[in-house]
């Protein structure tokens, strides 16, 4: 038996006996145990309590007043890609919009051209580097999408890379098939032709090789319409893929309505919302995943987190790590930005980036809170006065160590 006893924890953050998906007011309740110990046995949380009843133990690590919290659960990324796109970043500084760049063959199509020329091995190597980078930044579970393939071969290549990451990763990974990210150039005028490829060629291989957990569609003006989104999601559901879709990023495009209608696990982005759409989402079982670093990077208005939470929505926060709209998988930054720009309370942001993030990729039994039996995927902070200091000190690295399955991640 392999065990470690962490002692003298200033604050043990997000301690829960019976975790549940948090919505509305519940999000602002972040249970904390002050002056605590935590026992890890065989990589999992075995017990915890207050220092006044600290058990005897071997392998004691005295944290000397550091705090401990669950690792971030990043439920929306595109971290498999061939190359960065900083030249588009400069084009945007000079005045082009995200939509202008996409219309002239940049954006997602640019990433697809480069991915087609990259081998599965090279894609795996660069994605693995990014995975290591985000674990060091405190991420303890992650969802990864395809969507830069846009052909049968390249989409399957991406999904095989994600499958290999799953098999070799120390943290839980969920895979999402996003063949419907944009129409490839060849099918620009033949939407039916590309949808046929998705339904008749890609989905059967994905089913046979068990390459995905979820299906995603970029439901947006100029990309996939609500009807097309619905058809693709329904076909995914036939082979057991739950929808998790890109909705309401650039326009009020009906993405949220479509997501709720197909029973999506989450609808993600939500930069562009109106009152009726907020109410619809709040009264559904679908999680609203906010991606503030994408809004920031594209200089768009931030998501209306306050209105969404006050209406009773279950909110998660994620990084959207991708080369076009959020070239960062730093969840510490996501949490700070949510508090600074979207007026989420620190407690709300931490819950949304841990427990609700876990629910948004169905790993809530494994990670997302300090709960007996869950994996010891934990952030050990440098000494911090309170949880509010985490988003407040937005430019500081407050992470001392990251434990993954109870081991220090190097
Ligand atoms: O989530 N909006 C669609 N997809 C990505 C961006 C993809 C890209 O620009 O490469 C997103 O923001
Ligand atoms: Fe995305």
């Amino acid at each position: 038996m392999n065990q470690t006893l962490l002692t003298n924890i200033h604050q043990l953050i997000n301690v829960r006996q019976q975790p549940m998906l948090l919505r509305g007011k519940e999000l602002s309740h972040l249970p904390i145990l002050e002056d605590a110990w935590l026992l890890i046995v065989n990589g999992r949380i075995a017990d915890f309590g207050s220092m006044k009843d600290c058990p005897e133990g071997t392998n004691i690590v005295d944290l000397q007043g550091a705090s401990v919290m669950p690792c971030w659960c990043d439920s929306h990324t595109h971290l498999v890609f061939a190359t960065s796109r900083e030249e588009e970043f400069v084009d945007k500084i000079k005045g082009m919009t995200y939509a202008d760049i996409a219309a002239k063959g940049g954006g997602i199509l640019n990433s697809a051209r480069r991915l087609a020329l990259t081998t599965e091995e090279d894609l795996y190597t660069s994605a693995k580097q990014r995975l290591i980078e985000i674990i060091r930044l405190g991420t303890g579970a992650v969802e990864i999408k395809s969507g830069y393939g846009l052909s049968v071969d390249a989409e399957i290549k991406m999904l095989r890379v994600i499958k290999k990451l799953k098999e070799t990763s120390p943290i839980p990974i969920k895979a999402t098939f996003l063949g419907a990210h944009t129409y490839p150039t060849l099918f620009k005028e033949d939407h039916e032709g590309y949808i046929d490829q998705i339904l008749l060629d890609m989905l059967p291989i994905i089913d046979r090789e068990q390459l995905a957990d979820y299906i995603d569609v970029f439901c947006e003006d100029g990309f996939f319409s609500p009807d097309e989104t619905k058809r693709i999601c329904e076909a995914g559901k036939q082979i057991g893929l739950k929808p998790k879709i890109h909705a309401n990023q650039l326009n009020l495009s009906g993405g949220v309505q479509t997501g709720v209608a197909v029973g999506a696990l989450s609808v993600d982005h939500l930069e562009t919302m109106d009152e009726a759409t907020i109410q619809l989402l709040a009264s559904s079982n679908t999680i609203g995943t906010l991606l503030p670093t994408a809004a920031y990077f594209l200089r768009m208005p931030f998501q209306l987190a306050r209105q969404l939470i006050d209406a009773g929505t279950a909110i998660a926060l994620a990084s959207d790590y991708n080369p076009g709209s959020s070239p960062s998988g730093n969840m510490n930054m996501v949490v700070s930005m949510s508090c600074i720009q979207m007026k989420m309370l620190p407690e709300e942001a931490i819950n949304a980036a841990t427990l609700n993030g876990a629910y948004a990729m169905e790993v809530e039994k494994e990670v997302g809170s300090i709960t007996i039996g869950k994996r010891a995927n934990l952030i050990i902070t440098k000494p911090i006065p309170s949880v509010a200091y985490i988003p407040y000190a937005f430019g500081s690295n407050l992470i001392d160590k990251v434990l993954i399955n109870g081991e220090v991640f190097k």
Side-chain angles (χ1 to χ4, degrees):
M1 195 168 63
N2 183 353
Q3 71 172 51
T4 308
L5 180 64
L6 307 179
T7 62
N8 292 314
I9 301 168
H10 169 45
Q11 294 191 315
L12 187 58
I13 300 165
N14 215 351
V15 172
R16 294 175 186 272
Q17 263 167 8
Q18 266 159 350
M20 56 172 191
L21 177 65
L22 306 168
R23 53 174 67 244
K25 278 202 169 42
E26 294 157 356
L27 269 161
S28 62
H29 178 58
L30 181 69
I32 291 175
L33 191 61
E34 306 275 344
D35 196 21
W37 56 270
L38 179 129
L39 178 68
I40 299 168
V41 176
N42 294 337
R44 292 194 178 253
I45 299 169
D47 206 356
F48 52 83
S50 154
M51 274 312 283
K52 58 182 184 327
D53 320 301
C54 186
E56 304 275 299
T58 50
N59 198 19
I60 294 175
V61 181
D62 183 346
L63 291 190
Q64 300 178 330
S67 291
V68 173
M69 58 173 285
C71 277
W72 307 122
C73 296
D74 190 353
S75 63
H76 181 139
T77 81
H78 310 244
L79 68 71
V80 176
F81 54 86
T83 60
S84 57
R85 300 205 320 249
E86 65 276 12
E87 62 292 338
E88 292 178 3
F89 167 69
V90 177
D91 286 341
K92 274 188 242 124
I93 293 172
K94 291 180 180 162
M96 285 178 82
T97 66
Y98 184 74
D100 293 338
I101 290 171
K104 74 160 203 187
I108 298 164
L109 290 175
N110 185 2
S111 280
R113 272 193 303 277
R114 297 179 191 192
L115 187 129
L117 303 171
T118 309
T119 64
E120 197 173 310
E121 290 68 32
D122 287 351
L123 277 177
Y124 172 77
T125 305
S126 64
K128 184 86 193 200
Q129 269 319 109
R130 291 180 203 115
L131 181 66
I132 290 168
E133 181 201 1
I134 64 170
I135 298 173
R136 288 200 179 115
L137 289 166
T139 294
V142 67
E143 179 261 18
I144 310 175
K145 299 173 194 297
S146 71
Y148 291 127
L150 308 178
S151 69
V152 180
D153 285 355
E155 280 297 313
I156 298 302
K157 175 167 75 176
M158 280 191 87
L159 288 168
R160 287 185 182 139
V161 169
I162 301 172
K163 188 172 185 181
K164 193 162 161 208
L165 289 171
K166 269 192 185 191
E167 288 163 357
T168 58
S169 161
I171 67 169
I173 294 181
K174 289 292 179 107
T176 300
F177 169 53
L178 175 57
H181 201 182
T182 190
Y183 285 99
T185 316
L186 208 60
F187 291 96
K188 204 165 172 229
E189 307 302 331
D190 178 16
H191 288 192
E192 283 309 305
Y194 187 57
I195 294 175
D196 275 353
Q197 263 201 5
I198 291 176
L199 305 195
L200 304 177
D201 300 333
M202 299 185 198
L203 284 178
I205 304 176
I206 292 167
D207 187 25
R208 195 171 346 111
E209 295 188 27
Q210 292 293 294
L211 291 173
D213 303 292
Y214 303 112
I215 185 149
D216 193 345
V217 179
F218 188 17
C219 184
E220 184 57 64
D221 298 356
F223 293 81
F224 291 79
S225 70
D227 278 347
E228 292 166 348
T229 302
K230 198 161 176 210
R231 277 176 60 205
I232 296 165
C233 288
E234 293 298 347
K237 281 162 71 175
Q238 296 287 321
I239 63 160
L241 309 183
K242 272 192 201 168
K244 241 174 102 60
I245 72 173
H246 280 73
N248 292 50
Q249 180 181 14
L250 309 175
N251 296 285
L252 274 173
S253 45
V256 171
Q257 282 74 3
T258 309
V260 170
V262 299
L265 176 60
S266 68
V267 286
D268 302 25
H269 269 290
L270 314 184
E271 281 87 334
T272 318
M273 295 286 274
D274 61 5
E275 188 51 33
T277 313
I278 290 175
Q279 290 303 332
L280 174 79
L281 183 57
S283 59
S284 76
N285 288 324
T286 298
I287 297 169
T289 300
L290 310 183
L291 311 169
T293 48
Y296 169 70
F297 191 80
L298 299 182
R299 301 188 187 84
M300 292 191 60
F302 283 92
Q303 290 85 352
L304 301 173
R306 268 285 39 99
Q307 285 90 321
L308 283 158
I309 294 170
D310 295 345
T313 317
I315 289 297
L317 286 168
S319 74
D320 199 17
Y321 193 1
N322 78 77
S325 68
S326 179
S328 159
N330 188 337
M331 286 294 286
N332 310 282
M333 186 77 189
V334 169
V335 167
S336 281
M337 213 173 271
S338 308
C339 298
I340 298 165
Q341 293 290 345
M342 289 155 40
K343 298 201 171 161
M344 287 177 75
L345 294 167
E347 293 82 1
E348 291 173 329
I350 292 169
N351 274 324
T354 55
L355 186 55
N356 276 13
Y359 274 95
M361 51 180 157
E362 298 176 299
V363 290
E364 72 276 2
K365 298 225 162 33
E366 287 288 300
V367 286
S369 60
I370 305 292
T371 301
I372 292 174
K374 285 195 182 184
R375 291 185 191 223
N377 288 10
L378 306 170
I379 294 174
I380 300 178
T381 69
K382 292 175 184 160
I384 53 168
S386 68
V387 290
Y389 194 80
I390 297 170
Y392 161 84
F394 72 91
S396 304
N397 176 7
L398 299 175
I399 298 178
D400 180 29
K401 289 186 185 66
V402 176
L403 302 190
I404 299 297
N405 305 316
E407 305 285 334
V408 176
F409 188 78
K410 296 238 171 65

